[in-house]
Amino acid sequence: MEIKDCIVLLAGLGTRCYPFAYSVPKCMIPVGTKPVIEYIVDEAKVSGIENIYFVLPKFMDTKVVLKHFENQKRLLEILKQKNSPYYQEIKQRKFPKIKAVYSKFPNGSGGAILECQRYLKGKYFVVANGDDIFFGEPVIKQIIEESKKHNACVVSSMPIDVKENHKFGMIQVQENDDFLKITNIIEKPKNNNVLNQAIIGRYILNDKIFEVLKNTPKVNGEIYLTTAIGTLAQSENVICCPIKSQRYDCGCKEGILKANLKIHY
């Protein structure tokens, strides 16, 4: 089984990062000297991904996101002329093939994934949340290995304090010999002091998810991916993969600050 495609979800409104994200795409917020999106692309690259689909909002100007990954020939010429120490670094930047897919309206992670259906028929593929970056072993690599091992869809997870589980999609699992089978997903449960495995922003899915998403009822105008995965798990194996890396939520100010502190100190 080959997994060479990755959807990156970038079509949200970014309200948790206003006023910066009012005029600049949230994924371009810097962590160290790189924008958040470059960490995700780098993670995909080292995990063997060859094709990346950025799902971007059509109602915002996002040209800068694509521009960041283009070959800036004139800039390279100037750096070379000036004998800049950054010339070789910029020249050697290589990324997987990137394609922009546009969402006309913010209708949830499930709606964003549906925009990519025509490119992914008959395939297993990665879905990456554009807010989450990780330090340590690449999470995409971890879940691809798990998917290939069990020929199954995979949801990455991390343990959290049960007092915080109302903030996350939470997983119920059945332990098998060498994997954790997901039996149910509860989106931001209330008054539940048992569940402690939270879904985080990396998934392996197959093209069956598209039909499930089309039949998933909207909540507040959005199609929840977690709801669709819970439905998919009723008919086939969907595996939980606890990650070995440190996660930073760069969709909020606190997470961006913590990620920058990690880089600098």
Side-chain angles (χ1 to χ4, degrees):
M1 176 173 50
E2 292 293 312
I3 302 174
K4 298 295 183 182
D5 299 89
C6 176
I7 299 172
V8 184
L9 304 175
L10 303 170
L13 294 173
T15 52
R16 291 188 297 164
C17 292
Y18 280 2
F20 181 93
Y22 180 75
S23 57
V24 179
K26 178 177 60 175
C27 65
M28 294 304 293
I29 291 176
V31 173
T33 58
K34 297 196 300 188
V36 168
I37 185 59
E38 190 169 343
Y39 287 91
I40 299 169
V41 170
D42 285 346
E43 180 192 347
K45 176 184 173 182
V46 299
S47 301
I49 294 298
E50 296 176 356
N51 303 297
I52 297 180
Y53 303 92
F54 286 171
V55 184
L56 297 163
K58 199 166 186 177
F59 48 87
M60 290 180 66
D61 186 352
T62 55
K63 292 176 184 176
V64 66
V65 180
L66 300 173
K67 192 78 173 175
H68 182 76
F69 295 97
E70 292 177 357
N71 186 1
Q72 307 287 347
K73 293 182 180 180
R74 181 57 183 150
L75 172 62
L76 280 171
E77 290 173 2
I78 294 171
L79 292 174
K80 186 176 182 180
Q81 290 170 8
K82 290 182 170 291
N83 294 316
S84 170
Y86 296 103
Y87 170 71
Q88 287 298 331
E89 179 184 338
I90 299 299
K91 183 181 178 181
Q92 292 170 8
R93 291 172 86 227
K94 303 290 183 183
F95 301 107
K97 183 179 178 181
I98 294 172
K99 181 176 181 60
V101 180
Y102 292 97
S103 176
K104 294 180 181 179
F105 191 80
N107 55 2
S109 54
I113 290 169
L114 280 172
E115 300 287 352
C116 299
Q117 179 176 3
R118 61 190 178 277
Y119 305 111
L120 299 167
K121 291 180 180 178
K123 295 182 178 183
Y124 277 80
F125 55 91
V126 177
V127 174
N129 186 325
D131 289 343
D132 290 342
I133 65 172
F134 301 88
F135 296 115
E137 184 179 345
V139 174
I140 291 175
K141 182 179 179 181
Q142 293 175 47
I143 61 176
I144 285 177
E145 290 174 354
E146 196 73 7
S147 180
K148 289 182 175 181
K149 181 179 178 181
H150 300 288
N151 194 33
C153 296
V154 179
V155 175
S156 62
S157 71
M158 67 177 186
I160 62 166
D161 189 320
V162 294
K163 295 177 182 178
E164 299 292 312
N165 68 12
H166 64 283
K167 300 178 182 178
F168 296 87
M170 303 300 298
I171 302 172
Q172 290 180 324
V173 299
Q174 172 188 316
E175 293 190 23
N176 290 299
D177 291 339
D178 60 346
F179 65 89
L180 299 173
K181 174 180 168 58
I182 294 175
T183 58
N184 194 21
I185 295 176
I186 303 174
E187 183 66 26
K188 298 178 181 178
K190 296 179 180 179
N191 303 317
N192 186 308
N193 59 359
V194 177
L195 299 177
N196 74 335
Q197 279 293 330
I199 295 172
I200 57 172
R202 301 289 186 270
Y203 313 82
I204 302 286
L205 301 171
N206 59 31
D207 65 348
K208 294 178 183 177
I209 195 66
F210 296 119
E211 199 60 36
V212 177
L213 286 167
K214 289 175 185 176
N215 291 289
T216 299
K218 290 185 178 182
V219 178
N220 297 323
E222 297 190 352
I223 303 172
Y224 286 177
L225 175 59
T226 50
T227 302
I229 293 174
T231 301
L232 186 66
Q234 304 307 309
S235 59
E236 63 176 84
N237 280 346
V238 180
I239 294 171
C240 167
C241 178
I243 67 162
K244 305 168 187 175
S245 309
Q246 192 170 8
R247 168 186 177 261
Y248 291 86
D249 177 6
C250 291
C252 68
K253 298 167 188 175
E254 181 182 6
I256 294 163
L257 176 59
K258 287 182 177 178
N260 273 285
L261 289 172
K262 171 70 175 179
I263 288 288
H264 291 294
Y265 298 100

